[in-house]
């Protein structure tokens, strides 16, 4: 699945502006708030706090971990727009009130702004992260 074209374009514009000036212009910040609603500002806060880590295994499999404002670590899959946080399950999946939760938006913004922490793990460690998430949900 992909984001709506307008959201994809906005993230591209943010990336371009940030590469050129190291900041996000106000009109793009307003666009973020318009498209992503109440998750825009908290997502930017998570990026500012460098809370997003890209976890990569030798096979190239990648996931993201975001340290939420509550101090809990959430696992995000940008390839399918999924997050393990309760807000994602409720606001995005059940109620369709939001496109994304703040954690996934923070992943996209940190990618655009080059603000991801990097963590290389073994295949076994990546598998353990994935299995730990399943246990949390079950």
């Amino acid at each position: 699945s992909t984001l709506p074209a307008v959201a994809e374009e906005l993230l591209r514009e943010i990336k371009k502006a940030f590469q050129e000036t190291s900041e996000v212009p106000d009109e793009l910040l307003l666009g973020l708030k318009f498209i992503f609603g109440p998750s825009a500002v908290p997502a930017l806060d998570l990026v500012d706090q460098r809370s997003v880590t890209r976890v990569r295994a030798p096979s190239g499999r990648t996931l993201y971990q975001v340290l939420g404002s509550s101090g809990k670590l959430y696992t995000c899959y940008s390839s399918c727009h999924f997050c393990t946080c309760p807000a994602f399950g409720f606001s995005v999946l059940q109620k369709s009130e939001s496109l994304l939760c703040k954690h996934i938006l923070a992943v996209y913004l940190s990618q655009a702004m080059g603000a991801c922490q990097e963590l290389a793990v073994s295949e076994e460690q990546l598998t353990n992260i994935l299995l730990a998430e399943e246990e949390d949900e079950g």
Side-chain angles (χ1 to χ4, degrees):
S1 69
T2 58
L3 288 172
V6 66
E8 295 273 2
E9 180 60 27
L10 178 63
L11 290 167
R12 273 194 296 276
E13 291 291 319
I14 288 172
K15 181 174 186 169
K16 184 172 177 253
F18 198 82
Q19 285 173 340
E20 291 170 3
T21 65
S22 296
E23 55 185 51
V24 179
D26 288 348
E27 66 269 15
L28 294 180
L29 290 173
L30 286 171
L32 263 181
K33 284 188 77 170
F34 182 75
I35 292 172
F36 295 106
S39 44
V41 172
L44 285 165
D45 286 342
L46 290 170
V47 174
D48 283 345
Q49 294 160 16
R50 303 203 42 93
S51 298
V52 178
T53 302
R54 179 175 29 200
V55 181
R56 186 187 307 239
S59 64
R61 289 192 308 164
T62 302
L63 59 84
Y64 291 84
Q65 291 191 313
V66 180
L67 185 60
S69 47
S70 66
K72 186 163 174 15
L73 201 59
Y74 297 106
T75 301
C76 299
Y77 308 92
S78 61
S79 57
C80 60
H81 311 302
F82 182 82
C83 180
T84 56
C85 77
F88 183 85
F90 186 72
S91 298
V92 179
L93 295 179
Q94 284 182 354
K95 295 203 143 200
S96 297
E97 292 174 341
S98 306
L99 282 173
L100 306 169
C101 66
K102 67 184 179 183
H103 308 109
I104 296 179
L105 183 53
V107 166
Y108 291 128
L109 290 170
S110 66
Q111 287 172 332
M113 299 159 131
C116 270
Q117 312 268 21
E118 297 287 337
L119 179 63
V121 297
S122 68
E123 296 297 332
E124 186 180 357
Q125 287 170 309
L126 189 71
T127 300
N128 288 339
I129 291 169
L130 296 171
L131 291 175
E133 288 301 336
E134 281 182 14
E135 287 168 14
D136 287 350
E137 291 165 18

